[in-house]
Amino acid sequence: MARHGAVKSSGGVQKAASVAQRLREFNRMLVFVMVYLSFCAFNFGYDVGTFGGVQAMRSFAEEFGEYDEEKKMYALPGWLSSVMTATPFLGKAVGCAVSGWMAEKWGRRRAILLMCTLSFVGAVLQTSAKTAAQFTVGRVLIFAMTGFVIVVLPLFQAEVSPKAIRGMFGSMLQLMIVLGQVTATLVSYGTHDLPDSRAWKIPVGLQLVLPFVTVLLLPLLPESPRWLLSQGRAEDAAGSLARLRPRASAEDIQVEIKAILHAHADQAKGTWAEVFDRKNRIRTGVAVLAMFGQQITGQTFPSQYGVIFYQTQGFASRAFLFNVAASIVSLGAVIMTWLYVDEVGRRPVLLTGGLCMGLSLFMLGGVASASQEQLDRGLRHLIVASILLFCFFFNLSWAPISYIVVSETAALRVKEKTNLLACVVSVLTAFATSFSTPYLINPHYANLGGKVGYIFGSFNLVMVVATFFCIPELKGRTLEEVDQLFESGVPLRRFGSVRTKTAQEMYDEDFGHDTR
Protein backbone atom coordinates (compact mmCIF):
# COMPACT_ATOMS: atom_id res chain seq x y z
CA MET A 1 0.00 0.00 0.00
CA ALA A 2 3.06 2.23 0.23
CA ARG A 3 2.70 2.92 -3.48
CA HIS A 4 -0.04 5.45 -2.69
CA GLY A 5 2.58 7.68 -1.14
CA ALA A 6 3.12 9.05 -4.67
CA VAL A 7 0.02 11.16 -4.16
CA LYS A 8 1.01 14.51 -2.72
CA SER A 9 -0.91 16.19 0.03
CA SER A 10 -2.83 19.01 -0.42
CA GLY A 11 -4.42 20.41 -2.14
CA GLY A 12 -3.81 16.66 -2.62
CA VAL A 13 -2.50 17.15 -6.13
CA GLN A 14 -0.12 14.73 -7.79
CA LYS A 15 2.55 16.22 -10.02
CA ALA A 16 1.46 15.84 -13.63
CA ALA A 17 3.52 13.67 -15.95
CA SER A 18 5.28 15.40 -18.80
CA VAL A 19 4.03 15.10 -22.37
CA ALA A 20 6.98 12.83 -23.20
CA GLN A 21 6.19 10.54 -20.26
CA ARG A 22 2.53 10.31 -21.29
CA LEU A 23 3.40 9.55 -24.90
CA ARG A 24 5.53 6.60 -23.76
CA GLU A 25 2.34 5.01 -22.39
CA PHE A 26 1.06 4.54 -25.94
CA ASN A 27 1.44 1.38 -28.01
CA ARG A 28 0.21 0.54 -31.48
CA MET A 29 -3.14 -0.81 -30.28
CA LEU A 30 -3.85 2.22 -28.09
CA VAL A 31 -2.98 4.52 -30.97
CA PHE A 32 -5.36 2.56 -33.20
CA VAL A 33 -8.15 2.73 -30.61
CA MET A 34 -7.73 6.48 -30.10
CA VAL A 35 -7.69 7.17 -33.85
CA TYR A 36 -10.62 4.83 -34.46
CA LEU A 37 -12.80 6.48 -31.83
CA SER A 38 -11.70 9.89 -33.11
CA PHE A 39 -13.13 9.01 -36.52
CA CYS A 40 -16.53 8.54 -34.90
CA ALA A 41 -16.31 11.93 -33.19
CA PHE A 42 -15.09 13.52 -36.43
CA ASN A 43 -18.26 12.39 -38.22
CA PHE A 44 -20.31 14.05 -35.47
CA GLY A 45 -18.56 17.37 -36.04
CA TYR A 46 -18.71 17.04 -39.81
CA ASP A 47 -22.49 16.64 -39.78
CA VAL A 48 -22.99 19.57 -37.41
CA GLY A 49 -20.76 21.75 -39.57
CA THR A 50 -22.34 20.71 -42.86
CA PHE A 51 -25.95 21.81 -42.48
CA GLY A 52 -25.10 25.36 -41.39
CA GLY A 53 -23.64 25.96 -44.86
CA VAL A 54 -25.91 23.67 -46.86
CA GLN A 55 -29.14 25.39 -45.82
CA ALA A 56 -27.74 28.70 -47.13
CA MET A 57 -26.96 27.32 -50.63
CA ARG A 58 -29.06 28.52 -53.56
CA SER A 59 -29.56 25.03 -55.00
CA PHE A 60 -30.71 23.70 -51.61
CA ALA A 61 -33.24 26.53 -51.28
CA GLU A 62 -34.51 25.83 -54.81
CA GLU A 63 -34.95 22.15 -53.91
CA PHE A 64 -36.70 22.54 -50.56
CA GLY A 65 -37.56 26.22 -50.06
CA GLU A 66 -40.11 28.73 -51.33
CA TYR A 67 -39.87 31.59 -53.80
CA ASP A 68 -39.64 35.00 -52.14
CA GLU A 69 -41.41 37.52 -54.39
CA GLU A 70 -39.93 40.46 -52.54
CA LYS A 71 -36.32 39.32 -52.88
CA LYS A 72 -36.87 37.54 -56.20
CA MET A 73 -35.09 34.41 -55.01
CA TYR A 74 -35.70 31.02 -53.37
CA ALA A 75 -35.17 30.74 -49.63
CA LEU A 76 -36.04 28.43 -46.73
CA PRO A 77 -38.93 29.92 -44.77
CA GLY A 78 -38.18 30.53 -41.11
CA TRP A 79 -40.46 27.75 -39.89
CA LEU A 80 -38.84 25.17 -42.18
CA SER A 81 -35.32 26.22 -41.22
CA SER A 82 -36.36 25.88 -37.59
CA VAL A 83 -37.84 22.40 -38.09
CA MET A 84 -34.90 21.09 -40.14
CA THR A 85 -32.36 22.42 -37.64
CA ALA A 86 -34.08 21.72 -34.32
CA THR A 87 -36.04 18.48 -34.87
CA PRO A 88 -32.88 16.34 -35.23
CA PHE A 89 -31.99 17.17 -31.61
CA LEU A 90 -34.92 15.00 -30.55
CA GLY A 91 -33.19 12.14 -32.37
CA LYS A 92 -30.02 12.99 -30.48
CA ALA A 93 -31.91 12.81 -27.16
CA VAL A 94 -33.23 9.36 -28.10
CA GLY A 95 -29.74 8.30 -29.16
CA CYS A 96 -28.36 9.38 -25.77
CA ALA A 97 -31.07 7.48 -23.91
CA VAL A 98 -30.79 4.27 -25.96
CA SER A 99 -27.01 4.13 -26.38
CA GLY A 100 -26.16 3.78 -22.70
CA TRP A 101 -28.59 0.92 -22.26
CA MET A 102 -27.41 -0.80 -25.43
CA ALA A 103 -23.72 -0.38 -24.56
CA GLU A 104 -24.38 -2.04 -21.20
CA LYS A 105 -26.50 -4.89 -22.57
CA TRP A 106 -24.81 -5.70 -25.89
CA GLY A 107 -21.33 -4.24 -25.50
CA ARG A 108 -19.45 -1.15 -26.68
CA ARG A 109 -18.53 -2.58 -30.08
CA ARG A 110 -22.11 -3.40 -31.02
CA ALA A 111 -23.19 0.07 -29.91
CA ILE A 112 -20.56 1.51 -32.26
CA LEU A 113 -21.84 -0.75 -35.07
CA LEU A 114 -25.38 0.61 -34.61
CA MET A 115 -23.97 4.14 -34.44
CA CYS A 116 -22.25 3.68 -37.82
CA THR A 117 -25.39 2.13 -39.31
CA LEU A 118 -27.52 5.09 -38.23
CA SER A 119 -24.98 7.48 -39.72
CA PHE A 120 -24.87 5.61 -43.03
CA VAL A 121 -28.65 5.30 -43.41
CA GLY A 122 -29.15 8.94 -42.43
CA ALA A 123 -26.61 10.13 -45.00
CA VAL A 124 -28.28 8.02 -47.74
CA LEU A 125 -31.69 9.52 -46.92
CA GLN A 126 -30.31 13.06 -47.02
CA THR A 127 -28.33 12.63 -50.23
CA SER A 128 -31.29 11.11 -52.09
CA ALA A 129 -33.91 13.44 -50.59
CA LYS A 130 -36.54 15.00 -52.83
CA THR A 131 -38.62 16.45 -50.00
CA ALA A 132 -37.78 18.41 -46.89
CA ALA A 133 -39.44 15.68 -44.80
CA GLN A 134 -37.09 12.97 -46.11
CA PHE A 135 -34.05 15.20 -45.58
CA THR A 136 -35.15 15.94 -42.02
CA VAL A 137 -35.69 12.25 -41.23
CA GLY A 138 -32.15 11.61 -42.44
CA ARG A 139 -30.89 14.36 -40.12
CA VAL A 140 -32.81 12.83 -37.20
CA LEU A 141 -31.01 9.51 -37.76
CA ILE A 142 -27.64 11.26 -38.09
CA PHE A 143 -28.26 13.10 -34.83
CA ALA A 144 -29.23 9.86 -33.12
CA MET A 145 -25.69 8.80 -34.07
CA THR A 146 -24.29 11.90 -32.35
CA GLY A 147 -26.18 10.87 -29.21
CA PHE A 148 -24.28 7.59 -29.29
CA VAL A 149 -21.02 9.52 -29.72
CA ILE A 150 -21.34 11.67 -26.59
CA VAL A 151 -22.41 8.72 -24.40
CA VAL A 152 -20.59 5.64 -25.73
CA LEU A 153 -17.24 7.10 -26.81
CA PRO A 154 -16.28 8.76 -23.48
CA LEU A 155 -17.33 5.56 -21.72
CA PHE A 156 -15.24 3.38 -24.04
CA GLN A 157 -12.26 5.77 -23.89
CA ALA A 158 -12.22 5.74 -20.10
CA GLU A 159 -12.41 1.94 -19.96
CA VAL A 160 -9.59 1.10 -22.37
CA SER A 161 -7.03 3.86 -21.76
CA PRO A 162 -4.35 3.70 -19.07
CA LYS A 163 -4.79 6.18 -16.23
CA ALA A 164 -1.75 8.25 -17.24
CA ILE A 165 -3.19 9.14 -20.68
CA ARG A 166 -6.91 9.07 -19.94
CA GLY A 167 -7.07 12.86 -20.21
CA MET A 168 -5.49 12.80 -23.67
CA PHE A 169 -7.98 10.16 -24.79
CA GLY A 170 -10.94 12.11 -23.42
CA SER A 171 -9.88 15.50 -24.80
CA MET A 172 -9.72 14.07 -28.32
CA LEU A 173 -13.55 14.01 -28.43
CA GLN A 174 -14.11 17.78 -28.63
CA LEU A 175 -10.94 18.27 -30.68
CA MET A 176 -12.14 15.87 -33.39
CA ILE A 177 -15.68 17.28 -33.31
CA VAL A 178 -14.29 20.73 -34.09
CA LEU A 179 -11.90 19.32 -36.72
CA GLY A 180 -14.94 17.73 -38.37
CA GLN A 181 -16.66 21.11 -38.38
CA VAL A 182 -13.61 22.74 -39.96
CA THR A 183 -13.57 20.11 -42.71
CA ALA A 184 -17.31 20.53 -43.33
CA THR A 185 -17.03 24.30 -43.71
CA LEU A 186 -14.12 23.92 -46.13
CA VAL A 187 -16.06 21.42 -48.26
CA SER A 188 -19.17 23.63 -48.26
CA TYR A 189 -17.05 26.64 -49.19
CA GLY A 190 -15.61 24.69 -52.12
CA THR A 191 -18.97 23.53 -53.50
CA HIS A 192 -21.43 26.34 -52.70
CA ASP A 193 -21.00 28.05 -56.09
CA LEU A 194 -21.87 24.92 -58.10
CA PRO A 195 -25.02 25.68 -60.12
CA ASP A 196 -26.96 22.50 -59.37
CA SER A 197 -27.74 20.07 -56.52
CA ARG A 198 -24.14 18.88 -56.45
CA ALA A 199 -23.45 21.97 -54.33
CA TRP A 200 -25.21 20.44 -51.31
CA LYS A 201 -25.14 16.74 -52.23
CA ILE A 202 -21.33 16.52 -52.26
CA PRO A 203 -20.80 17.75 -48.67
CA VAL A 204 -23.78 15.72 -47.44
CA GLY A 205 -22.76 12.61 -49.39
CA LEU A 206 -19.23 12.60 -47.95
CA GLN A 207 -20.83 11.54 -44.66
CA LEU A 208 -21.09 8.06 -46.17
CA VAL A 209 -17.32 7.55 -46.12
CA LEU A 210 -16.40 7.35 -42.44
CA PRO A 211 -19.22 5.01 -41.29
CA PHE A 212 -18.18 2.60 -44.03
CA VAL A 213 -14.51 2.73 -42.99
CA THR A 214 -15.25 2.37 -39.27
CA VAL A 215 -17.45 -0.69 -39.86
CA LEU A 216 -14.68 -2.33 -41.91
CA LEU A 217 -12.16 -1.74 -39.10
CA LEU A 218 -14.52 -2.70 -36.27
CA PRO A 219 -13.28 -6.35 -36.04
CA LEU A 220 -9.84 -4.99 -35.06
CA LEU A 221 -11.23 -3.05 -32.09
CA PRO A 222 -10.91 -4.84 -28.72
CA GLU A 223 -14.05 -5.00 -26.59
CA SER A 224 -14.05 -3.16 -23.28
CA PRO A 225 -12.53 -5.36 -20.54
CA ARG A 226 -14.92 -3.79 -18.02
CA TRP A 227 -17.97 -4.81 -20.06
CA LEU A 228 -16.62 -8.33 -20.59
CA LEU A 229 -16.15 -8.70 -16.83
CA SER A 230 -19.70 -7.48 -16.23
CA GLN A 231 -20.83 -10.39 -18.41
CA GLY A 232 -18.78 -12.91 -16.44
CA ARG A 233 -16.27 -13.34 -19.27
CA ALA A 234 -13.07 -13.00 -17.23
CA GLU A 235 -10.88 -14.91 -19.71
CA ASP A 236 -12.02 -12.75 -22.63
CA ALA A 237 -11.50 -9.63 -20.51
CA ALA A 238 -7.91 -10.65 -19.75
CA GLY A 239 -7.31 -11.30 -23.46
CA SER A 240 -8.73 -7.91 -24.42
CA LEU A 241 -6.65 -6.16 -21.78
CA ALA A 242 -3.52 -7.99 -22.96
CA ARG A 243 -4.11 -6.61 -26.47
CA LEU A 244 -4.43 -3.12 -25.02
CA ARG A 245 -1.37 -3.50 -22.77
CA PRO A 246 1.09 -5.65 -24.78
CA ARG A 247 4.05 -4.61 -22.62
CA ALA A 248 2.31 -5.58 -19.35
CA SER A 249 3.14 -8.84 -17.60
CA ALA A 250 0.52 -11.49 -16.81
CA GLU A 251 0.64 -10.39 -13.18
CA ASP A 252 0.03 -6.75 -14.13
CA ILE A 253 -2.95 -7.81 -16.24
CA GLN A 254 -4.47 -9.70 -13.31
CA VAL A 255 -3.92 -6.74 -10.97
CA GLU A 256 -5.81 -4.46 -13.36
CA ILE A 257 -8.54 -7.06 -13.82
CA LYS A 258 -9.04 -7.16 -10.04
CA ALA A 259 -9.17 -3.34 -9.92
CA ILE A 260 -11.82 -3.28 -12.66
CA LEU A 261 -13.85 -5.94 -10.84
CA HIS A 262 -13.77 -3.88 -7.65
CA ALA A 263 -14.79 -0.67 -9.43
CA HIS A 264 -17.54 -2.41 -11.39
CA ALA A 265 -18.95 -4.05 -8.29
CA ASP A 266 -19.21 -0.65 -6.60
CA GLN A 267 -20.63 1.11 -9.63
CA ALA A 268 -23.27 -1.54 -10.28
CA LYS A 269 -25.01 -0.67 -7.00
CA GLY A 270 -26.04 2.77 -8.25
CA THR A 271 -29.73 3.39 -9.01
CA TRP A 272 -31.65 6.31 -10.49
CA ALA A 273 -32.92 7.14 -7.01
CA GLU A 274 -29.30 7.64 -5.88
CA VAL A 275 -28.74 10.20 -8.65
CA PHE A 276 -31.11 12.54 -6.80
CA ASP A 277 -30.60 11.46 -3.18
CA ARG A 278 -29.19 13.72 -0.49
CA LYS A 279 -25.65 12.51 -1.02
CA ASN A 280 -25.54 13.01 -4.79
CA ARG A 281 -28.08 15.71 -5.66
CA ILE A 282 -25.50 18.52 -5.56
CA ARG A 283 -23.11 16.55 -7.76
CA THR A 284 -25.95 15.83 -10.18
CA GLY A 285 -26.88 19.52 -10.19
CA VAL A 286 -23.32 20.55 -11.05
CA ALA A 287 -23.16 18.08 -13.96
CA VAL A 288 -26.52 19.20 -15.34
CA LEU A 289 -25.63 22.88 -14.94
CA ALA A 290 -22.39 22.38 -16.89
CA MET A 291 -24.14 20.76 -19.85
CA PHE A 292 -27.06 23.20 -19.73
CA GLY A 293 -24.61 26.10 -19.81
CA GLN A 294 -22.88 24.65 -22.85
CA GLN A 295 -26.03 25.16 -24.93
CA ILE A 296 -27.98 28.05 -23.37
CA THR A 297 -25.07 30.42 -24.03
CA GLY A 298 -26.09 30.52 -27.70
CA GLN A 299 -23.61 28.44 -29.68
CA THR A 300 -26.35 27.25 -32.06
CA PHE A 301 -26.69 30.77 -33.45
CA PRO A 302 -23.26 30.95 -35.17
CA SER A 303 -22.85 27.19 -35.73
CA GLN A 304 -26.24 26.50 -37.34
CA TYR A 305 -27.36 29.88 -38.70
CA GLY A 306 -24.08 31.73 -39.16
CA VAL A 307 -23.95 31.60 -42.98
CA ILE A 308 -27.57 32.67 -43.40
CA PHE A 309 -27.06 35.49 -40.93
CA TYR A 310 -23.94 36.75 -42.75
CA GLN A 311 -25.92 36.77 -45.99
CA THR A 312 -28.70 38.88 -44.47
CA GLN A 313 -26.10 41.38 -43.22
CA GLY A 314 -24.76 42.13 -46.70
CA PHE A 315 -21.93 39.59 -46.84
CA ALA A 316 -23.42 37.26 -49.45
CA SER A 317 -20.16 36.79 -51.35
CA ARG A 318 -18.11 36.12 -48.21
CA ALA A 319 -20.61 34.32 -45.97
CA PHE A 320 -19.11 30.86 -46.52
CA LEU A 321 -15.57 32.21 -46.09
CA PHE A 322 -16.53 33.72 -42.72
CA ASN A 323 -17.98 30.35 -41.75
CA VAL A 324 -14.64 28.72 -42.51
CA ALA A 325 -12.86 31.38 -40.46
CA ALA A 326 -15.14 30.73 -37.47
CA SER A 327 -14.43 26.99 -37.56
CA ILE A 328 -10.67 27.51 -37.80
CA VAL A 329 -10.74 29.97 -34.89
CA SER A 330 -12.74 27.38 -32.91
CA LEU A 331 -10.19 24.66 -33.63
CA GLY A 332 -7.34 26.85 -32.43
CA ALA A 333 -9.21 27.59 -29.19
CA VAL A 334 -9.86 23.90 -28.46
CA ILE A 335 -6.19 23.07 -29.00
CA MET A 336 -5.21 25.80 -26.51
CA THR A 337 -7.60 24.38 -23.91
CA TRP A 338 -6.35 20.85 -24.55
CA LEU A 339 -2.82 21.99 -23.74
CA TYR A 340 -3.46 24.21 -20.71
CA VAL A 341 -6.68 23.28 -18.91
CA ASP A 342 -4.93 20.93 -16.47
CA GLU A 343 -2.54 23.72 -15.55
CA VAL A 344 -4.97 26.66 -15.36
CA GLY A 345 -8.04 24.85 -14.00
CA ARG A 346 -11.71 24.71 -14.92
CA ARG A 347 -13.27 27.67 -13.09
CA PRO A 348 -10.92 30.41 -14.37
CA VAL A 349 -11.42 29.31 -17.97
CA LEU A 350 -15.21 29.04 -17.64
CA LEU A 351 -15.51 32.40 -15.87
CA THR A 352 -13.21 34.24 -18.28
CA GLY A 353 -14.61 32.52 -21.36
CA GLY A 354 -18.23 33.07 -20.33
CA LEU A 355 -17.64 36.77 -19.61
CA CYS A 356 -15.90 37.31 -22.96
CA MET A 357 -18.66 35.38 -24.76
CA GLY A 358 -21.27 37.63 -23.18
CA LEU A 359 -19.37 40.81 -24.08
CA SER A 360 -18.92 39.57 -27.67
CA LEU A 361 -22.65 39.03 -28.03
CA PHE A 362 -23.48 42.41 -26.51
CA MET A 363 -21.11 43.93 -29.05
CA LEU A 364 -23.05 42.09 -31.76
CA GLY A 365 -26.32 43.46 -30.43
CA GLY A 366 -24.90 46.97 -30.20
CA VAL A 367 -23.66 46.95 -33.78
CA ALA A 368 -26.99 45.56 -35.01
CA SER A 369 -28.73 48.47 -33.26
CA ALA A 370 -26.67 51.05 -35.17
CA SER A 371 -28.15 53.14 -37.96
CA GLN A 372 -27.89 52.08 -41.59
CA GLU A 373 -25.54 55.00 -42.23
CA GLN A 374 -23.16 53.82 -39.49
CA LEU A 375 -23.27 50.27 -40.83
CA ASP A 376 -22.46 51.47 -44.33
CA ARG A 377 -19.38 53.32 -43.03
CA GLY A 378 -17.76 50.04 -41.98
CA LEU A 379 -19.33 49.28 -38.62
CA ARG A 380 -20.92 46.22 -40.24
CA HIS A 381 -17.62 44.35 -40.10
CA LEU A 382 -17.78 44.37 -36.31
CA ILE A 383 -20.67 41.93 -36.70
CA VAL A 384 -18.27 39.34 -38.11
CA ALA A 385 -15.60 40.17 -35.53
CA SER A 386 -18.02 39.73 -32.62
CA ILE A 387 -19.17 36.32 -33.89
CA LEU A 388 -15.57 35.15 -34.39
CA LEU A 389 -14.73 36.27 -30.85
CA PHE A 390 -17.73 34.40 -29.48
CA CYS A 391 -16.72 31.21 -31.34
CA PHE A 392 -13.17 31.50 -30.02
CA PHE A 393 -14.13 31.94 -26.37
CA PHE A 394 -16.89 29.32 -26.54
CA ASN A 395 -14.47 26.68 -27.80
CA LEU A 396 -11.88 27.84 -25.29
CA SER A 397 -14.26 27.35 -22.38
CA TRP A 398 -17.78 25.93 -22.39
CA ALA A 399 -17.44 23.62 -25.39
CA PRO A 400 -14.68 21.33 -24.01
CA ILE A 401 -14.75 22.06 -20.27
CA SER A 402 -18.40 21.14 -19.70
CA TYR A 403 -17.52 17.54 -20.61
CA ILE A 404 -14.59 17.63 -18.18
CA VAL A 405 -16.77 18.97 -15.35
CA VAL A 406 -19.34 16.20 -15.88
CA SER A 407 -16.72 13.45 -15.92
CA GLU A 408 -15.07 14.76 -12.73
CA THR A 409 -18.23 15.56 -10.78
CA ALA A 410 -20.38 12.44 -11.09
CA ALA A 411 -20.04 9.82 -8.34
CA LEU A 412 -18.65 6.49 -9.55
CA ARG A 413 -21.71 4.55 -8.40
CA VAL A 414 -24.04 6.59 -10.61
CA LYS A 415 -21.59 7.96 -13.18
CA GLU A 416 -23.28 6.59 -16.31
CA LYS A 417 -26.74 7.67 -15.17
CA THR A 418 -25.55 11.17 -14.21
CA ASN A 419 -23.74 11.56 -17.54
CA LEU A 420 -26.83 10.40 -19.42
CA LEU A 421 -29.08 12.86 -17.58
CA ALA A 422 -26.67 15.75 -18.18
CA CYS A 423 -26.34 14.92 -21.90
CA VAL A 424 -30.12 14.72 -22.37
CA VAL A 425 -30.51 18.12 -20.70
CA SER A 426 -27.85 19.49 -23.04
CA VAL A 427 -29.60 18.08 -26.10
CA LEU A 428 -33.03 19.38 -25.10
CA THR A 429 -31.56 22.82 -24.42
CA ALA A 430 -29.89 22.77 -27.84
CA PHE A 431 -33.27 21.83 -29.35
CA ALA A 432 -34.96 24.80 -27.66
CA THR A 433 -32.32 27.31 -28.78
CA SER A 434 -32.13 25.87 -32.32
CA PHE A 435 -35.90 25.92 -32.73
CA SER A 436 -36.35 29.48 -31.45
CA THR A 437 -33.38 31.18 -33.14
CA PRO A 438 -34.89 31.39 -36.69
CA TYR A 439 -38.03 32.97 -35.24
CA LEU A 440 -35.89 35.50 -33.38
CA ILE A 441 -33.66 36.56 -36.28
CA ASN A 442 -35.96 36.09 -39.32
CA PRO A 443 -37.41 39.30 -40.85
CA HIS A 444 -40.86 37.69 -41.09
CA TYR A 445 -41.04 37.00 -37.33
CA ALA A 446 -39.30 38.85 -34.44
CA ASN A 447 -36.78 40.39 -36.89
CA LEU A 448 -34.13 40.85 -34.21
CA GLY A 449 -31.24 39.97 -36.49
CA GLY A 450 -28.00 40.64 -34.61
CA LYS A 451 -29.95 42.05 -31.67
CA VAL A 452 -30.41 38.43 -30.60
CA GLY A 453 -26.96 38.99 -29.11
CA TYR A 454 -28.61 40.86 -26.25
CA ILE A 455 -30.63 37.74 -25.37
CA PHE A 456 -27.84 35.19 -25.52
CA GLY A 457 -25.37 37.68 -24.05
CA SER A 458 -27.61 37.98 -20.99
CA PHE A 459 -27.72 34.19 -20.66
CA ASN A 460 -23.91 34.17 -20.72
CA LEU A 461 -23.67 36.66 -17.87
CA VAL A 462 -26.18 34.64 -15.83
CA MET A 463 -24.06 31.53 -16.41
CA VAL A 464 -20.93 33.40 -15.27
CA VAL A 465 -22.65 34.10 -11.93
CA ALA A 466 -23.91 30.49 -11.74
CA THR A 467 -20.40 29.21 -12.46
CA PHE A 468 -18.88 31.36 -9.71
CA PHE A 469 -21.21 29.91 -7.08
CA CYS A 470 -21.97 26.41 -8.40
CA ILE A 471 -19.10 25.00 -10.50
CA PRO A 472 -16.28 23.66 -8.27
CA GLU A 473 -12.58 23.50 -9.12
CA LEU A 474 -11.56 19.82 -9.23
CA LYS A 475 -8.24 20.19 -11.08
CA GLY A 476 -5.69 17.61 -9.96
CA ARG A 477 -8.02 15.85 -7.49
CA THR A 478 -8.31 12.08 -7.26
CA LEU A 479 -11.71 10.39 -7.09
CA GLU A 480 -11.32 9.90 -3.33
CA GLU A 481 -10.53 13.59 -2.87
CA VAL A 482 -13.56 14.63 -4.92
CA ASP A 483 -15.75 12.48 -2.63
CA GLN A 484 -14.23 14.23 0.42
CA LEU A 485 -14.89 17.66 -1.05
CA PHE A 486 -18.56 17.01 -1.72
CA GLU A 487 -19.02 15.44 1.70
CA SER A 488 -17.27 18.31 3.51
CA GLY A 489 -20.11 20.81 3.26
CA VAL A 490 -17.70 23.50 2.00
CA PRO A 491 -19.26 25.90 -0.56
CA LEU A 492 -18.58 24.75 -4.11
CA ARG A 493 -16.70 27.91 -5.02
CA ARG A 494 -14.09 27.19 -2.33
CA PHE A 495 -13.24 23.61 -3.29
CA GLY A 496 -9.98 24.69 -4.94
CA SER A 497 -8.49 25.91 -1.65
CA VAL A 498 -9.54 22.96 0.55
CA ARG A 499 -6.91 20.51 1.75
CA THR A 500 -7.95 16.89 1.31
CA LYS A 501 -6.54 13.67 2.70
CA THR A 502 -4.46 11.62 0.33
CA ALA A 503 -5.03 7.92 -0.27
CA GLN A 504 -1.94 7.18 1.86
CA GLU A 505 -3.22 9.31 4.76
CA MET A 506 -6.60 7.60 4.70
CA TYR A 507 -4.90 4.21 4.66
CA ASP A 508 -2.66 5.15 7.61
CA GLU A 509 -5.70 6.32 9.60
CA ASP A 510 -7.50 3.02 8.99
CA PHE A 511 -4.60 0.59 9.39
CA GLY A 512 -1.84 2.46 11.19
CA HIS A 513 1.48 3.68 9.81
CA ASP A 514 2.99 0.25 9.29
CA THR A 515 2.53 -0.38 5.55
CA ARG A 516 4.38 -3.67 5.46
Side-chain angles (χ1 to χ4, degrees), residues 198-457:
R198 290 177 301 162
W200 63 269
K201 286 189 174 182
I202 289 174
V204 170
L206 286 176
Q207 293 178 92
L208 295 166
V209 176
L210 277 182
F212 182 72
V213 173
T214 50
V215 168
L216 285 181
L217 295 177
L218 185 60
L220 302 178
L221 187 71
E223 181 56 273
S224 162
R226 179 184 293 272
W227 181 79
L228 291 168
L229 286 171
S230 73
Q231 305 299 303
R233 297 165 56 182
E235 186 175 341
D236 291 336
S240 178
L241 197 57
R243 292 180 63 193
L244 293 164
R245 316 278 193 268
R247 295 193 292 266
S249 66
E251 181 181 355
D252 290 336
I253 295 295
Q254 289 305 312
V255 168
E256 189 164 352
I257 287 289
K258 290 178 181 179
I260 294 173
L261 280 171
H262 180 271
H264 181 81
D266 182 59
Q267 188 177 15
K269 298 174 185 176
T271 65
W272 276 106
E274 288 185 52
V275 174
F276 305 100
D277 67 13
R278 186 174 182 179
K279 183 178 180 180
N280 291 314
R281 66 180 60 154
I282 293 179
R283 302 176 77 156
T284 301
V286 171
V288 169
L289 178 65
M291 296 304 289
F292 173 76
Q294 186 190 60
Q295 300 300 332
I296 200 63
T297 44
Q299 66 85 21
T300 55
F301 170 54
S303 66
Q304 298 292 328
Y305 302 104
V307 178
I308 290 178
F309 178 70
Y310 294 137
Q311 290 175 338
T312 63
Q313 301 303 306
F315 297 110
S317 62
R318 289 175 287 174
F320 284 88
L321 182 61
F322 290 153
N323 198 38
V324 172
S327 63
I328 292 175
V329 164
S330 300
L331 180 61
V334 173
I335 292 173
M336 290 175 62
T337 301
W338 183 52
L339 291 173
Y340 295 111
V341 68
D342 283 322
E343 179 179 346
V344 176
R346 288 54 161 145
R347 277 171 58 86
V349 179
L350 284 179
L351 290 170
T352 304
L355 180 61
C356 292
M357 287 159 60
L359 293 177
S360 300
L361 290 173
F362 277 119
M363 183 171 74
L364 172 64
V367 174
S369 301
S371 66
Q372 188 61 45
E373 181 181 353
Q374 291 173 313
L375 291 173
D376 291 340
R377 287 205 302 261
L379 197 60
R380 192 186 310 275
H381 288 87
L382 286 178
I383 291 176
V384 180
S386 62
I387 292 177
L388 292 179
L389 284 172
F390 173 84
C391 291
F392 175 82
F393 286 110
F394 173 71
N395 285 280
L396 189 76
S397 56
W398 281 98
I401 291 182
S402 55
Y403 293 119
I404 298 174
V405 171
V406 171
S407 66
E408 292 177 330
T409 302
L412 181 62
R413 287 167 56 84
V414 290
K415 193 175 187 68
E416 291 180 3
K417 294 178 176 64
T418 304
N419 288 5
L420 173 59
L421 175 64
C423 288
V424 169
V425 168
S426 173
V427 171
L428 295 180
T429 307
F431 168 79
T433 55
S434 297
F435 188 84
S436 60
T437 297
Y439 291 99
L440 294 173
I441 66 176
N442 196 289
H444 298 293
Y445 298 98
N447 194 28
L448 292 179
K451 296 176 186 176
V452 75
Y454 290 133
I455 296 176
F456 288 123

Side-chain angles (χ1 to χ4, degrees), residues 477-498:
R477 305 285 188 170
T478 65
L479 179 61
E480 292 79 13
E481 290 168 337
V482 170
D483 290 339
Q484 293 174 51
L485 289 169
F486 278 102
E487 292 170 2
S488 68
V490 174
L492 297 172
R493 68 181 185 277
R494 297 179 181 171
F495 274 20
S497 61
V498 175

Side-chain angles (χ1 to χ4, degrees), residues 169-181:
F169 260 73
S171 61
M172 285 296 292
L173 179 62
Q174 184 65 29
L175 182 61
M176 293 303 294
I177 288 174
V178 176
L179 184 59
Q181 290 175 318

